Amino acid sequence: MDPLLQQAEISRKAGDLARAEVLCRQVLEREPRNARAWFNLGAIQAAQGDAAGGIESYRHALELDAGLAEAWSNLGELLGAADDKAGEIDAYRRAVGANPQLAPVWSNLGNALLEAGRAGEALAACRRATDLDPDFAAGWNNLGNALHASGKDEESVAACERALKLAPELAEAWSTLGAALHGLGRLEEAVGAHRRAAAIQPEVAHHPFNLGVALRHAGRYAEAIAHLRRALALDPGHAQAHWDLAFTLLAAGRFPEGWEQYEWRWHRSSAGARRYEFTAWDGDASKPRRLLLWAEQGIGDHILYGSLLTDLASSPMRITLEVEPRLVSLYQRSFPQLAVIPQRDSPADPRDFDCQAPLGSLGRWLRTTFESFPRHRGYLTPDVKRAEAYRSRLTGDTGVRLAGIAWKSANPEFGAKKSQSLLDWGQVLKVPGARFVDLQYGDTAGERAEVERQTGARIDHLPDLDLRGDLEGLAALCAACDVVITASNVTAHVAGALGRPVWLMAPQGGGRIWYWFAGRSDSPWYPSMRIFEQQVRGSWRETLDAVARELADFVTGPRAVS
């Protein structure tokens, strides 16, 4: 190696970056095609905080010598920091192509692939890293992360334990272990793991954040709030921490604080842009202004927050409600005082309105205490003729009790925690005197056939009704039922908004949404609802047994007035 370049490397590694840069540039003046000098200059620039210069220098080095694995690796790190995910992955792949024995680079490649949503490839890369270096603690942690993201939490726990055996103070491994334990429903152990991570790295915001989320799912709201606030003290712009703090405060009934934090929902990385940005409504309903209200989030949220419209319907304001097209006719019938329009790709013209508000923001003015929730008997009005036709079609004049059932949620994040297998409903479906009708959206033919084959229980299904696309039809069918028994999904909201008797099966832990308020068997949002809370986390047997007993009493009891 050139003696001058050798001195530059020694200076760089000793932290004397200014001298190292001078020496590197002297070498490059004499030898502009010296790949090693360009590599060192890139490393110096990166250490000085000049990421763009570092990227440019590394690229010069690699143009001259594509076999410099370390340059590819360092380039990958800088591209990842610059949010060039494709470039980062490509650089790491080239690094291990040049030197397949680099365990840390395989591990970094796995992380990059995981962040890009390519969990299968990430797993393979992380396994390669630990195969190459079984004593690489950070590699075992990264493998644990990839396993957790792939839903392999038992294996993730084992990988994290291996990492912690090698490096007991590796905070990130404690954090990953907490995530895997959380995924397994072992919440108290998850809390302990996240607490340990926070103790090792007290100034890193995501540790108290993770601890706060685990505590919230464990129902320990006061502690959760304290740790989420700690995360925000460390990182005030942590949008997800604001979001989880909102849920925790609202679930604890601390509505004014909760609604304030709820406004942070627009800042999360997964959130779309606000549909309208013109003058925000100030909450004063006494003035005759033209107010545009617009639905947001999922269909369940559209319906839940629709209850807030009852507070405004008689105000002097001229209100236009923009809602998901499948709900337009239902809302037009239910709120004739409002102008209801479908939410299209092209937004409404702001010049037609004085102010606007998303439906989810109305709570901060209209639901500030539990006492502010009205004891309504339903605020959505179904198509009565259609409901009567469904009732006649399913029960005739037999007087049988009609129970509508739904057992799954399609929520991509925690739908599995809210869902049951239809086969687990055996005791419910055997209750004499009840006739069951399918309210579950999606293709249920296979599940219904298997239940009938194994138990003899028959569930009626209306093949001409699209329960996902025809929400008017879903509402009419719910209205035709004597009782609706459902998982936490859209069906629960529709039945509750109609004021029909609805029995909701709510999970413990992460799948329980804040607005079901843990520990309650009633719903302030839907007075006709009864909540059957999961007794054992991860098991629906006890809950379904309780539902079966209640249904047996309901079938033989006095008929409710429709």
Side-chain angles (χ1 to χ4, degrees), residues 405-419:
I405 63 170
W407 56 94
K408 288 190 294 192
S409 165
N411 185 289
E413 184 178 356
F414 40 73
K417 291 183 172 67
K418 300 194 292 178
S419 302

Side-chain angles (χ1 to χ4, degrees), residues 174-188:
W174 283 109
S175 181
T176 305
L177 176 62
L181 291 167
H182 197 153
L184 292 169
R186 294 159 60 180
L187 290 179
E188 292 305 322

